[in-house]
């Protein structure tokens, strides 16, 4: 096992960065014996705020925090890193179409992909959180061809966590009772939170939740629109829950998946379930505990599920077409 790890975090002075950095530094993620160096990237205009974040990290006196690097240059922030959490991206503003957001953020991830290829450690794992995260991950991956594609992923664990919480509430159980909840497709309003193979306390979920109309209607709508609902309620986007999901995502990769369960992440498709090869698509996955993952094969999918998966697949195809000129 590694005794130290270098972790890059982009957009590190933002709300998600502020929520995730203390947990990365504390030993929560990589364990109580692994020293952590945080290499933090921000825009030039946010470097003052980033210096304040670094002061707070120092004042926490984390025994495992070996060093902090602050930079507005990707090449510096990514130098030798084993993990790159790409959180920073331009937010969607009022009246902005999704395709406009994709075009605005695309060049950022071209540059970051190139910098990762040039400077990151050979074992780097790249996790894209900044939205639209699936297509941003695709752009970064295609601009870092020297890094194996299976070392890139985009985060749909927040959607999985949201789904588990809503299902647990409906069934009147703790979230820990839920297993085998899968998110398919894009981290967007077309994502498909699949409960057909989900379990509660080891038994089919449908034994505890018999309301099929809710499962195929309001439940899916709540998960697909949860981010927008949070923005409406608190005036800004998810931060603590997104940071928590990013931590869950990393831990799922470095921890062996319990037998019979899986977790959700968007990874380059290998053609499984008829998904276009190379597209960054969320599947149910298992991990070998050393960052090696496999797409769960052979899951039965209802016609309803297949239709939902086709819709989110088409959206990702459309997004890919928008940024075709960035996919060198």
């Amino acid at each position: 096992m590694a005794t130290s790890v270098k972790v890059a975090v982009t957009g590190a002075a933002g709300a998600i960065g502020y929520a995730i950095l203390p947990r990365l530094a504390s030993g929560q993620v990589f364990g109580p014996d692994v020293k952590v160096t945080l290499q933090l990237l921000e825009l030039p205009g946010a470097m003052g705020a980033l210096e304040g974040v670094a002061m707070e990290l120092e004042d926490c006196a984390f025994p495992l925090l070996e060093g902090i690097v602050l930079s507005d240059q990707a090449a510096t922030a990514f130098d030798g890193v084993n993990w790159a959490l790409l959180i920073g991206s331009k937010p969607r503003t009022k009246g902005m179409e999704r395709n406009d957001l994709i075009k605005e953020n695309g060049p950022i991830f071209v540059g970051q992909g190139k910098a990762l290829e040039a400077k990151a450690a050979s074992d780097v794992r790249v996790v894209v959180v900044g939205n639209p995260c699936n297509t941003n991950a695709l752009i970064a991956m295609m601009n870092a061809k020297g890094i194996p594609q299976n070392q890139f992923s985009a985060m749909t664990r927040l959607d999985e966590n949201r789904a588990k919480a809503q299902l647990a509430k409906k069934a009147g159980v703790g979230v820990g009772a839920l297993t085998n909840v899968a998110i398919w497709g894009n981290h967007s309003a077309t994502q498909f939170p699949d409960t057909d193979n989900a379990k509660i306390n080891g038994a089919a979920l449908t034994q505890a939740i018999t309301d099929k109309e809710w499962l195929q209607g309001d439940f899916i709508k709540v998960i697909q629109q949860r981010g927008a609902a949070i923005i409406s309620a608190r005036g800004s986007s998810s931060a603590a829950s997104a940071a928590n999901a990013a931590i869950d995502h990393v831990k799922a990769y470095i921890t062996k998946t319990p037998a019979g369960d899986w977790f959700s992440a968007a990874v380059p498709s290998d053609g499984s379930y008829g998904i276009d090869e190379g597209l960054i698509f969320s599947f149910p996955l298992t991990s070998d505990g050393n960052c090696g993952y496999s797409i769960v094969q052979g899951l039965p999918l209802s016609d309803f599920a297949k239709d939902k998966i086709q819709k989110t697949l088409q959206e990702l195809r459309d997004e890919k077409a928008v940024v075709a000129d960035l996919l060198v």
Side-chain angles (χ1 to χ4, degrees), residues 184-185 190 192 273-276 281 303-318:
W184 298 84
T190 68
F192 175 51
Y273 299 96
I275 305 304
D276 306 3
F281 194 92
D303 288 342
F304 177 82
K306 290 177 182 176
D307 179 65
K308 294 293 185 183
I309 289 170
Q310 282 300 309
K311 287 178 179 175
T312 195
L313 170 59
Q314 188 57 52
E315 182 180 57
L316 282 167
R317 287 170 173 164
D318 293 343

Side-chain angles (χ1 to χ4, degrees), residues 259-328:
D261 200 4
W262 53 68
F263 65 95
S264 303
V267 297
S269 172
D270 62 0
S272 295
Y273 299 96
I275 305 304
D276 306 3
E277 285 192 33
L279 209 59
I280 304 288
F281 194 92
S282 185
F283 294 96
L285 307 176
T286 59
S287 170
D288 63 6
N290 193 33
C291 294
Y293 68 84
S294 300
I295 297 172
V296 177
Q297 298 295 324
L299 293 179
L301 296 171
S302 65
D303 288 342
F304 177 82
K306 290 177 182 176
D307 179 65
K308 294 293 185 183
I309 289 170
Q310 282 300 309
K311 287 178 179 175
T312 195
L313 170 59
Q314 188 57 52
E315 182 180 57
L316 282 167
R317 287 170 173 164
D318 293 343
E319 289 186 12
K320 181 180 178 181
V322 171
V323 297
D325 59 320
L326 303 180
L327 308 177
V328 297

Side-chain angles (χ1 to χ4, degrees), residues 87-273:
I87 294 171
S89 65
K90 292 182 180 180
R92 187 171 177 174
T93 56
K94 186 175 181 180
M96 179 182 280
E97 297 295 331
R98 185 175 177 85
N99 283 354
D100 295 332
L101 180 66
I102 293 167
K103 290 175 182 176
E104 286 279 325
N105 276 311
I108 296 171
F109 289 86
V110 170
Q112 291 185 356
K114 292 181 185 299
L116 284 163
E117 181 178 29
K119 303 297 289 188
S122 61
D123 67 350
V124 67
R125 259 57 187 190
V126 183
V127 182
V128 180
V129 176
N131 284 318
C133 62
N134 293 57
T135 296
N136 288 341
L138 178 66
I139 294 167
M141 181 181 77
M142 296 302 292
N143 284 276
K145 289 192 168 65
I147 300 174
Q149 291 193 352
N150 64 4
Q151 293 176 205
F152 286 83
S153 61
M155 190 181 81
T156 56
R157 184 57 180 257
L158 179 55
D159 307 307
E160 179 186 322
N161 288 350
R162 287 168 169 168
K164 285 180 174 177
Q166 294 301 314
L167 292 166
K169 187 187 296 185
K170 182 75 169 179
V173 299
V175 173
L178 273 293
T179 59
N180 304 95
V181 176
I183 303 296
W184 298 84
N186 199 6
H187 175 62
S188 74
T190 68
Q191 61 164 284
F192 175 51
D194 178 17
T195 57
D196 284 356
N197 298 288
K199 297 178 181 178
I200 295 180
N201 290 320
L205 176 141
T206 49
Q207 292 182 21
I209 302 176
T210 58
D211 188 348
K212 185 176 180 179
E213 184 177 348
W214 180 82
L215 286 172
Q216 294 190 349
D218 287 347
F219 163 68
I220 293 174
K221 291 175 185 175
V222 165
I223 306 309
Q224 290 177 336
Q225 300 294 334
R226 186 69 166 184
I230 289 170
I231 291 172
S232 177
R234 68 184 294 263
S236 56
S237 58
S238 308
S241 57
N244 183 70
I247 287 170
D248 286 345
H249 179 114
V250 174
K251 290 174 74 172
Y253 269 73
I254 63 177
T255 306
K256 186 175 176 61
T257 307
D261 200 4
W262 53 68
F263 65 95
S264 303
V267 297
S269 172
D270 62 0
S272 295
Y273 299 96

